Amino acid sequence: MITSCFVFIDYEIKAGKGEKLLPKLVCVVTGKGPLRSYYQSLIKAKNFVFVEFVTLWLSAEEYPVLLASADLGVSLHFSSSGLDLPMKVVDMFSCGLPVCALAYSCLEELVHHNENGLVFKDSQELSQQLQMLFEVFPKQTTKLDQMREKLKSFQQTTWDQTWVCHAKQTFLSYHRS
């Protein structure tokens, strides 16, 4: 279970103690779901110093601009069926943005751990990944740069190419039976 507040409380403590050279983070949370105001009040009550949260609803034109200007995306999407992929991660990858994504059964079709992103199982693992990626940021961004480089092939592959490579044969075999 992901306790998202733990992730940032842990980051806040480590950054405040100076144990690691961690920068201040600006976390942009997009969307206007039914729990938006609940999470806004929860965040406000924490009085973070090293982590700032901004909640936004963006137009279709603004959203890719935001993603392209970010350093890292985080996906907390979990598939109850275990069969659907997080389209937000596809959006992020299309903008060249590496991700940390919550693990579930078919996620590896999209997120290749340590290549185009990182996969985590719980809030403690996500916290460790954030600290590793942002320690001495922006002076060193080696891991983020490596993941961005891997995303270039994703960005150049079309939907049609992916269909032919991964799905067409499966659908044809069902059609023939």
Side-chain angles (χ1 to χ4, degrees), residues 69-87:
S69 65
D71 296 302
L72 178 71
V74 175
S75 172
L76 300 176
H77 174 86
F78 183 79
S79 169
S80 56
S81 69
L83 300 174
D84 64 316
L85 295 173
M87 294 312 297

Side-chain angles (χ1 to χ4, degrees), residues 10 17 24 42 45-46 49 51-52 63 65 69 83 86 96 130 132-133 135 147 149 172 174:
D10 189 46
K17 286 183 178 178
K24 289 186 176 185
L42 190 66
K46 295 296 179 193
V49 174
V51 183
E52 179 181 349
Y63 185 64
V65 174
S69 65
L83 300 174
L130 291 175
M132 179 268 298
L133 290 170
E135 188 173 15
M147 291 188 293
E149 190 61 35
L172 288 176
Y174 281 116

Side-chain angles (χ1 to χ4, degrees), residues 29-33 36 55-58:
V29 182
T30 61
K32 56 180 180 179
R36 180 180 177 165
T55 56
L56 300 173
W57 172 250
L58 299 168

Side-chain angles (χ1 to χ4, degrees), residues 14-165:
K14 297 276 177 27
K17 286 183 178 178
E19 292 175 11
K20 298 179 178 184
L21 295 174
L22 296 171
K24 289 186 176 185
L25 294 181
V26 176
C27 300
V28 180
V29 182
T30 61
K32 56 180 180 179
L35 295 176
R36 180 180 177 165
S37 60
Y38 167 76
Y39 283 108
Q40 286 174 319
S41 63
L42 190 66
I43 291 165
K44 188 176 181 182
K46 295 296 179 193
N47 295 315
F48 289 115
V49 174
F50 289 92
V51 183
E52 179 181 349
F53 288 89
V54 178
T55 56
L56 300 173
W57 172 250
L58 299 168
S59 69
E61 296 80 26
E62 296 167 323
Y63 185 64
V65 174
L66 171 72
L67 294 180
S69 65
D71 296 302
L72 178 71
V74 175
S75 172
L76 300 176
H77 174 86
F78 183 79
S79 169
S80 56
S81 69
L83 300 174
D84 64 316
L85 295 173
M87 294 312 297
K88 295 291 183 190
V89 172
V90 174
D91 293 343
M92 292 177 203
F93 281 1
S94 296
C95 293
L97 183 60
V99 301
C100 289
L102 178 61
Y104 62 91
S105 60
C106 69
L107 184 67
E108 68 275 357
E109 290 180 34
L110 184 60
V111 181
H112 305 139
H113 186 69
N114 273 322
E115 290 184 28
N116 59 10
L118 299 173
V119 177
F120 59 89
K121 294 180 197 88
D122 55 33
S123 53
Q124 185 175 1
E125 195 171 8
L126 174 57
S127 179
Q128 291 166 351
Q129 290 173 356
L130 291 175
Q131 291 172 48
M132 179 268 298
L133 290 170
F134 289 113
E135 188 173 15
V136 300
F137 182 88
K139 293 178 184 169
Q140 183 171 358
T141 57
T142 307
K143 187 65 177 171
L144 287 168
D145 291 338
Q146 289 169 350
M147 291 188 293
R148 273 190 212 94
E149 190 61 35
K150 289 285 185 180
L151 287 172
K152 288 181 181 176
S153 63
F154 176 89
Q155 292 172 304
Q156 294 176 1
T157 306
T158 67
W159 187 93
D160 290 337
Q161 292 167 325
T162 303
W163 163 259
V164 169
C165 182

